[in-house]
Amino acid sequence: MLECLIIGDSIAVGTHQFKPECVAYAKGGINSWQWLNQNVGKTPLLAKTVIISLGSNDHKYVNTESELRTIRQLTKADRVYWVLPAGNHPKSNVSIQYIQLTIKEIAREYGDIVLPISNLQKDGIHPSWAGYKDIAQKTK
């Protein structure tokens, strides 16, 4: 069993920079549907600690709730952390509030921990270096 696994999008990639001891299955720009379809079946989601960062790249053609629920159901861990997306691209036609509420609800159902991003880059989506450091420190 892995000690730590980070899964998700570019925020997961950045988080891995501050937690290099973790295994990361992460890719910039990936949405929840793409991540699920590219990784599940190839990648066991089994670790003592799992950090999930998905949702920022979802759009109106992604069923965010269904995809994230499936990912969480397949995740076996002692502790699961969800990085709460702070923003998304306006052209996604999905409110970030909907994505945030979905993540909070799934996390609540499983007793997971939700980590809001504390410091953002100018794009309003990605954490600053201080924000990534904060995420890494809170997932120890």
Side-chain angles (χ1 to χ4, degrees), residues 18-61:
F18 286 86
K19 291 192 73 72
E21 70 276 13
C22 298
V23 172
Y25 302 133
K27 181 179 178 184
I30 201 164
N31 65 46
S32 300
W33 181 87
Q34 290 169 321
W35 193 94
L36 180 62
N37 286 282
Q38 290 177 17
N39 290 284
V40 170
K42 301 175 199 168
T43 306
L45 302 178
L46 177 64
K48 290 184 180 177
T49 298
V50 174
I51 303 165
I52 303 171
S53 176
L54 285 163
S56 289
N57 297 308
D58 288 4
H59 49 75
K60 67 180 180 179
Y61 300 109

Side-chain angles (χ1 to χ4, degrees), residues 124-137:
I125 298 170
H126 297 90
S128 65
W129 291 122
Y132 283 120
K133 186 176 180 182
D134 184 57
I135 292 167
Q137 290 174 338

Side-chain angles (χ1 to χ4, degrees), residues 3-139:
E3 284 293 319
C4 178
L5 175 63
I6 301 171
I7 65 173
D9 52 25
S10 60
I11 297 170
V13 172
T15 300
H16 186 240
Q17 299 284 320
F18 286 86
K19 291 192 73 72
E21 70 276 13
C22 298
V23 172
Y25 302 133
K27 181 179 178 184
I30 201 164
N31 65 46
S32 300
W33 181 87
Q34 290 169 321
W35 193 94
L36 180 62
N37 286 282
Q38 290 177 17
N39 290 284
V40 170
K42 301 175 199 168
T43 306
L45 302 178
L46 177 64
K48 290 184 180 177
T49 298
V50 174
I51 303 165
I52 303 171
S53 176
L54 285 163
S56 289
N57 297 308
D58 288 4
H59 49 75
K60 67 180 180 179
Y61 300 109
V62 173
N63 185 335
T64 299
E65 182 175 0
S66 175
E67 307 303 340
L68 294 180
R69 282 189 182 283
T70 300
I71 291 166
R72 183 57 184 92
Q73 288 168 355
L74 295 170
T75 301
K76 307 297 181 219
D78 295 337
R79 288 176 310 278
V80 175
Y81 296 92
W82 292 84
V83 178
L84 190 65
N88 59 356
H89 196 283
K91 291 183 180 178
S92 70
N93 292 318
V94 176
S95 106
I96 193 61
Q97 291 80 14
Y98 162 75
I99 292 170
Q100 291 171 336
L101 287 172
T102 299
I103 289 169
K104 287 177 183 178
E105 177 62 21
I106 295 168
R108 184 192 61 74
E109 290 172 13
Y110 283 90
D112 299 340
I113 299 164
V114 176
L115 300 173
I117 298 172
S118 61
N119 297 290
L120 290 170
Q121 293 182 28
K122 291 180 184 178
D123 67 5
I125 298 170
H126 297 90
S128 65
W129 291 122
Y132 283 120
K133 186 176 180 182
D134 184 57
I135 292 167
Q137 290 174 338
K138 289 180 177 176
T139 57

